[in-house]
Each structure stands twice: as structure tokens, then as C-alpha cells.
């Protein structure tokens, strides 16, 4: 018996958008099942923010359709806005207000009465671990705290869909981890999350599925493991004691690997993709020993999303596109 299809919270088909002669989107298709996190992955200029602006009714597409929480973004933008919460790259926090006052103000703007607004503000301060700092002005908050407060503001009206546009941009490692924890907890109550990011490990950690875009086009989609599988195999790396031994080490790795070895004379490292994992590692060490070479370091690594992006696009994810 075929299992019932999961409801779709966000759907976009054939979205295009141009700014002058620049084609920002060139036929983007997206689907996010209810209660899932979709990572929209790509470098600056790939079209992530343009997609978000269309889905949040801030921008009209040149062509294509989009629905959020069952509402058409063009036909019923007000209903879409009532169904979503949005947190952008920069925390929309009034620094002169306390954390509580920021959330209370948002709640009142959504039409809650004073009692309900106070209750919701305190509830969110507790949920986002800001209770002890809730009565301090936000200007004294760390970057991570401001980001958590901004995310709390996006949830005041209990939206069914939350859009996070590069939520950890500019944060230090601790702030990023705090934000990741918050996003991980969002789906516990059925919230659907669209997360745009250029941080590959962020998509790997948070997203149920990933759509990779480049130059306004979808170039790959799937889970992190499915995308990594597209690179093929694992990566065998080793460092030899002397750069003069690199050619011999590269020959050995070419014999046990499934691709052309890559060498770096400066680090004395050679690496190659392998299909047989540990067997290839053991065999390479045996053959190197036959040549009198004992590596000073050796490792076997699964492909990362960085590897995937490089294989798909030919450039690194952080490179800015023209």
C-alpha cells in the first residue's frame, strides 16, 4: 500500500526573475514538506535571497508560481504574510529596548492584547534562553543573543513557516552553534523551515534536504548523504616525510584509487578518491612500505558538502558570482 503523501508547506515552480540584464533566477523549483527543514545552498549571488523575497511577498517573479502555507504569493500575499515568520541576515532588533520590550512590541503589532503579548514575550524569552537578560537593553547583547532574540520575534505569531535568510552571517562560532540549536528545536512543534546559507556544514547539520543553486538555477537536490554520494567514494589523504617522495606516493595512490591523485608539494600531501575505503588505505600503506616510504600522517575522509559543491560547480561555495 502506498503511504499517504506528506503535505507540502512551500511550493515554487519555474520561478524566474531578472534585474536589467542580470538573470537572478532561471526556473527555480522548490518543495518543502510540512515540518521539514530545507537548506537552500549556494554562494553569494546564486539567487537565494531573491528566492526568499519572492516567497515572502517582497518581490514579484517575472514568471512561475509559488505557494506558502497553501496561499498563492501573488493572489493572496496578505495570507502568506500571516502564515510566515522571517529572520534575515541582520537581526531586526531595537537596541534601545530590552529583550522583553522587543518581543512585547512585536506581539502588540500582531494585534495581541497586553496580557497575551506579555505572556508570549516571556514564553519566548524562556524558550530562547534569554530570560535572565530579558530586562536588559538589547544593545548589551552579544551577536548570538541578538540573533536568538530576532528569531524569537519571528515566532511571536506562531507561524507555520519560518524563513531564515543566512541567519548566522557575521556570528562567531559560539553564536553560530547557539543559532543552530534554536533552528533544530523549531521543527519540534511542526514548524516548516526554509534556511538559506552559504555555509556548507550548516546545511549538513540542520537540513532534512538540500537544494543547491548556482547562477539562479537548481543544480542538485537531495539529502546531504545523497549529495555526497554523487562525488563518489571517500578521500584517502597522506603526508610523506619528504617532498621528493611525492611522485612515488602519487603513483601508489593512482593504483589503489578511483581517480587522479592530487599532490601539494608545500604540505607534502597527496590525496585521491577511493571506492574501497579501508581496504584501499591498507593496500596503499603496504605498497608504500615496499618503496621504503612511511607516511607521517594518513587519513580516510567521507566527501563533504564542500567537495560536492566544487564537483557540481567547479568553484568554491564562498566565491562571489558576478
Amino acid at each position: 500500500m502506498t503511504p499517504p503523501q506528506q503535505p507540502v508547506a512551500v511550493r515554487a515552480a519555474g520561478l524566474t526573475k531578472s534585474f536589467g540584464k542580470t538573470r537572478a533566477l532561471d526556473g527555480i523549483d522548490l518543495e518543502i514538506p510540512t515540518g521539514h527543514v530545507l537548506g537552500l545552498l549556494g554562494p553569494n549571488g546564486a539567487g537565494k535571497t531573491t528566492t526568499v523575497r519572492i516567497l515572502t511577498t517582497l518581490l514579484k517573479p517575472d514568471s512561475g508560481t509559488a505557494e506558502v502555507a497553501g496561499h498563492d504569493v501573488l493572489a493572496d500575499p496578505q495570507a502568506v504574510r500571516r502564515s510566515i515568520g522571517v529572520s534575515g541576515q541582520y537581526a531586526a532588533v531595537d537596541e534601545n529596548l530590552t529583550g522583553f520590550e522587543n518581543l512585547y512590541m512585536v506581539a502588540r503589532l500582531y494585534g495581541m492584547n497586553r496580557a497575551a503579548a506579555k505572556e508570549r514575550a516571556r514564553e519566548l524569552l524562556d524558550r530562547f534562553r534569554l530570560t535572565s537578560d530579558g530586562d536588559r537593553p538589547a544593545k548589551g547583547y552579544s551577536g548570538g543573543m541578538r540573533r536568538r532574540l530576532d528569531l524569537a520575534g519571528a515566532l511571536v505569531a506562531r507561524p507555520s513557516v519560518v524563513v531564515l535568510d543566512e541567519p548566522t552571517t557575521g556570528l562567531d562560532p559560539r553564536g553560530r552553534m547557539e543559532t543552530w540549536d534554536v533552528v533544530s528545536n523549531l521543527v519540534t512543534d511542526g514548524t516548516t523551515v526554509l534556511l538559506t546559507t552559504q555555509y556548507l556544514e550548516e546545511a549538513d547539520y540542520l537540513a532534512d534536504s538540500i537544494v543547491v543553486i548556482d547562477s539562479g538555477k537548481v543544480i542538485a537536490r537531495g539529502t546531504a548523504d545523497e549529495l555526497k554520494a554523487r562525488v563518489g567514494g571517500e578521500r584517502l589523504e597522506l603526508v610523506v616525510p619528504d617532498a621528493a617522495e611525492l611522485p612515488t606516493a602519487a603513483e601508489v595512490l593512482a593504483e589503489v584509487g578511483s581517480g587522479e591523485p592530487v599532490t601539494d608539494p608545500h604540505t607534502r600531501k597527496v590525496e585521491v578518491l577511493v571506492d574501497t575505503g579501508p581496504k584501499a588505505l591498507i593496500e596503499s600503506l603496504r605498497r608504500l612500505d615496499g618503496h621504503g616510504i612511511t607516511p607521517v600522517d594518513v587519513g580516510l575522509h567521507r566527501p563533504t558538502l564542500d567537495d560536492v559543491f566544487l564537483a557540481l560547480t567547479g568553484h568554491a561555495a564562498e566565491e562571489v558570482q558576478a
Side-chain angles (χ1 to χ4, degrees):
M1 185 174 178
T2 304
Q5 231 178 5
Q6 191 163 9
V8 175
V10 178
R11 179 183 282 114
L15 292 182
T16 67
K17 185 66 181 179
S18 296
F19 299 98
K21 295 182 179 179
T22 302
R23 187 82 156 176
L25 297 183
D26 194 9
I28 295 290
D29 298 323
L30 295 176
E31 276 197 3
I32 313 178
T34 298
H36 278 227
V37 179
L38 174 72
L40 188 59
L41 181 64
N44 285 332
K48 303 188 302 296
T49 297
T50 301
T51 302
V52 164
R53 292 181 68 193
I54 289 172
L55 293 176
T56 56
T57 75
L58 297 177
L59 192 66
K60 292 183 179 181
D62 295 335
S63 63
T65 61
E67 291 183 359
V68 178
H71 308 293
D72 189 283
V73 297
L74 293 176
D76 200 353
Q78 291 296 335
V80 171
R81 292 168 195 157
R82 288 193 297 267
S83 304
I84 63 175
V86 182
S87 179
Q89 297 179 29
Y90 306 100
V93 171
D94 189 324
E95 296 187 345
N96 294 315
L97 299 180
T98 66
F100 170 80
E101 289 168 342
N102 268 279
L103 297 180
Y104 176 80
M105 177 183 67
V106 173
R108 291 289 285 160
L109 289 172
Y110 272 111
M112 295 183 188
N113 62 39
R114 288 185 175 85
K118 287 180 181 179
E119 181 180 359
R120 184 60 172 157
R122 292 299 180 192
E123 176 188 342
L124 288 168
L125 287 173
D126 181 63
R127 180 175 178 181
F128 285 81
R129 306 190 310 276
L130 291 167
T131 298
S132 60
D133 299 287
D135 294 320
R136 290 201 298 119
K139 61 185 176 184
Y141 285 13
S142 68
M145 291 168 65
R146 292 187 195 191
R147 177 60 62 201
R148 296 207 305 275
L149 182 60
D150 185 58
L151 288 172
L155 297 182
V156 165
R158 295 181 174 85
S160 59
V161 177
V162 175
V163 179
L164 307 178
D165 188 17
E166 302 198 19
T168 60
T169 295
L171 294 185
D172 60 22
R174 179 178 178 179
R176 289 177 67 193
M177 288 303 299
E178 290 175 345
T179 304
W180 289 6
D181 288 342
V182 169
V183 176
S184 296
N185 291 329
L186 282 179
V187 294
T188 58
D189 57 2
T191 304
T192 303
V193 179
L194 171 61
L195 168 75
T196 77
T197 181
Q198 59 180 314
Y199 297 124
L200 297 138
E201 72 275 21
E202 187 161 274
D204 198 357
Y205 183 84
L206 294 173
D208 297 301
S209 59
I210 296 169
V211 169
V212 185
I213 65 174
D214 192 39
S215 301
K217 296 180 179 180
V218 174
I219 59 173
R221 66 179 81 229
T223 66
D225 285 341
E226 288 170 346
L227 293 178
K228 290 174 185 177
R230 293 183 61 166
V231 176
E234 297 170 290
R235 190 172 69 252
L236 173 60
E237 297 179 352
L238 59 86
V239 178
V240 295
D242 192 326
E245 297 170 324
L246 277 175
T248 302
E251 287 180 14
V252 168
L253 263 60
E255 294 167 357
V256 302
S258 58
E260 187 71 23
V262 178
T263 61
D264 185 343
H266 298 290
T267 59
R268 307 187 310 282
K269 183 171 75 173
V270 57
E271 62 181 65
V272 70
L273 289 174
V274 294
D275 293 327
T276 55
K279 289 183 180 179
L281 172 61
I282 294 170
E283 180 62 19
S284 65
L285 292 176
R286 187 187 69 78
R287 296 190 185 193
L288 286 170
D289 185 62
H291 288 283
I293 299 175
T294 303
V296 296
D297 192 18
V298 63
L300 192 63
H301 307 283
R302 291 187 65 201
T304 66
L305 282 174
D306 293 273
D307 298 324
V308 173
F309 201 90
L310 186 61
L312 291 171
T313 69
H315 61 77
E318 68 271 11
E319 290 178 6
V320 178
Q321 302 302 295

